[in-house]
Amino acid sequence: MAAAVEVRGLTKSYGNVHAVRGIDLTVEPGSVTAVLGPNGAGKTTTMEILEGFRDRDAGEVRVLGLDPGSNGKELRERLGIVLQETAAEAYLTPREVLAMHARYYPHPRDVDEVIALVGLTEKARARVKTLSGGQKRRLDVGLGIIGDPELLFLDEPTTGFDPTARRSAWEVIRGLTGGGTTIVLTTHYIDEAQALADNVVVIAAGRVVAEGPPAVITAAQHSLATVTFLLPEGVTVGDLPVQGTVSSSGLVEITLAPADEVPVVHRLTGWALERGVPLQDLRVSRAGLEDAYLALVAETGDAVDVPA
Ligand code: ATP
């Protein structure tokens, strides 16, 4: 099947600011792609070009097989777009807003079904202006899917949500992919990318610096293991059988290559048993997607604002 989104060599500058510097991107149909990157990395610019809201300087772009630069109107009927700003009319109810927007599309979804899907049944007849921030965001998602889009763009869909609301938004998103919708979302939450995405694209300084399933990106960073425990009373860091650092709160930290994890923990626990000292709060942790992301972004630096 053809890709839902295919981008090759995309560039875009605003005057001297090279916001997008040669991005390649492929989104498979039915997948969830999360676009991560620091502020100013070029995520919104890229999304707006894909959505047909912004012209590009160069590069090939196909969205659902069409060029958004020249087929914007035709394309928009097949897309759902949830921007960061709430678009709903304040004095109408969610039901009225959704019914009104449904009329813009040739094959809209059922209004009540969408209200239930985004968890707004109880607020269906309240005025939009009385909804909480999280409830308004749910309505935004409802507006994004009312046209039954083949491809849904979500710009930071859960920013400002409480943890429970985030989990239920994730369920909504999972439900949509279960129904075959392709989703491209931007987020600053690494756990959101990890929880939802089949594919993560990390953009930094206008370029893709990593792409792949979350686990592959993490593994590619050769993540180190960290062993931590509280320094036992009467013991100095120099007494330990392995080298580590100790913080002012007495937490010992030992950083290891993954292959050294088992022998070092063995040596440490053997030593503690022999001496009869506790290793309180002993933990072995492996760097996750967040550490991999931070390492990738740090390697790239913030080099966007350079003269043309
Ligand atoms: P954020 O995470 O903060 O939303 P982003 O990754 O979406 O950031 P963009 O909004 O695409 O980044 O911005 C990329 C660069 O382009 C930034 O340096 C920004 O200041 C610049 N930029 C974006 N829009 C414009 C504009 N309309 N005019 C001039 N410069 C712009």
Side-chain angles (χ1 to χ4, degrees):
M1 216 193 296
V5 176
E6 191 84 57
V7 174
R8 292 287 164 265
L10 179 65
T11 64
K12 172 74 184 175
S13 294
Y14 303 99
N16 283 346
V17 178
H18 301 314
V20 176
R21 307 166 158 214
I23 281 185
D24 296 341
L25 199 63
T26 304
V27 174
E28 296 301 334
S31 68
V32 179
T33 297
V35 181
L36 288 173
N39 293 131
K43 303 181 297 294
T44 305
T45 301
T46 303
M47 296 278 271
E48 286 176 352
I49 292 169
L50 300 184
E51 293 160 355
F53 290 134
R54 197 170 279 290
D55 290 335
R56 59 188 186 266
D57 292 342
E60 279 292 308
V61 180
R62 287 285 174 279
V63 177
L64 302 176
L66 299 172
D67 182 342
S70 48
N71 301 100
K73 195 172 172 298
E74 186 188 344
L75 191 57
R76 226 145 310 136
E77 286 184 353
R78 300 169 61 194
L79 296 181
I81 299 172
V82 179
L83 302 171
Q84 282 179 34
E85 298 280 306
T86 297
E89 291 77 1
Y91 287 91
L92 299 180
T93 67
R95 202 163 196 297
E96 289 165 344
V97 174
L98 286 164
M100 190 171 87
H101 283 256
R103 288 200 285 273
Y104 302 147
Y105 296 94
H107 310 289
R109 294 178 76 129
D110 179 71
V111 170
D112 289 319
E113 186 191 87
V114 169
I115 287 174
L117 196 63
V118 298
L120 276 179
T121 305
E122 279 171 27
K123 293 286 175 184
R125 289 167 202 282
R127 282 190 202 280
V128 169
K129 71 184 180 87
T130 67
L131 301 184
S132 73
Q135 289 163 344
K136 282 190 187 127
R137 203 71 191 123
R138 287 165 187 234
L139 178 56
D140 289 338
V141 174
L143 287 169
I145 62 176
I146 190 71
D148 199 14
E150 292 164 59
L151 172 61
L152 178 63
F153 289 104
L154 296 168
D155 201 359
E156 299 188 23
T158 65
T159 295
F161 278 25
D162 67 48
T164 314
R166 287 183 71 214
R167 292 299 184 286
S168 55
W170 293 356
E171 284 314 310
V172 170
I173 292 169
R174 289 196 186 108
L176 292 172
T177 49
T181 312
T182 308
I183 296 180
V184 179
L185 61 93
T186 65
T187 183
H188 285 294
Y189 300 120
I190 313 285
D191 59 341
E192 185 156 288
Q194 191 126 37
L196 293 177
D198 302 297
N199 207 39
V200 171
V201 177
V202 182
I203 296 183
R207 291 198 176 92
V208 174
V209 294
E211 186 180 3
V216 171
I217 292 189
T218 309
Q221 285 301 299
H222 305 295
S223 43
L224 298 173
T226 307
V227 178
T228 53
F229 57 92
L230 287 172
L231 189 66
E233 239 172 83
V235 173
T236 68
V237 72
D239 296 332
L240 298 172
V242 284
Q243 241 188 347
T245 58
V246 62
S247 72
S248 56
S249 61
L251 191 73
V252 179
E253 193 170 307
I254 300 162
T255 306
L256 303 167
D260 294 337
E261 220 171 289
V262 172
V264 166
V265 172
H266 183 75
R267 197 150 15 117
L268 196 62
T269 49
W271 170 88
L273 279 173
E274 223 170 76
R275 288 213 170 190
V277 292
L279 292 178
Q280 221 182 317
D281 281 351
L282 175 66
R283 249 168 244 185
V284 182
S285 50
R286 189 70 68 93
L289 183 61
E290 180 152 13
D291 302 86
Y293 165 78
L294 291 171
L296 279 164
V297 169
E299 276 167 26
T300 317
D302 187 12
V304 175
D305 297 295
V306 294

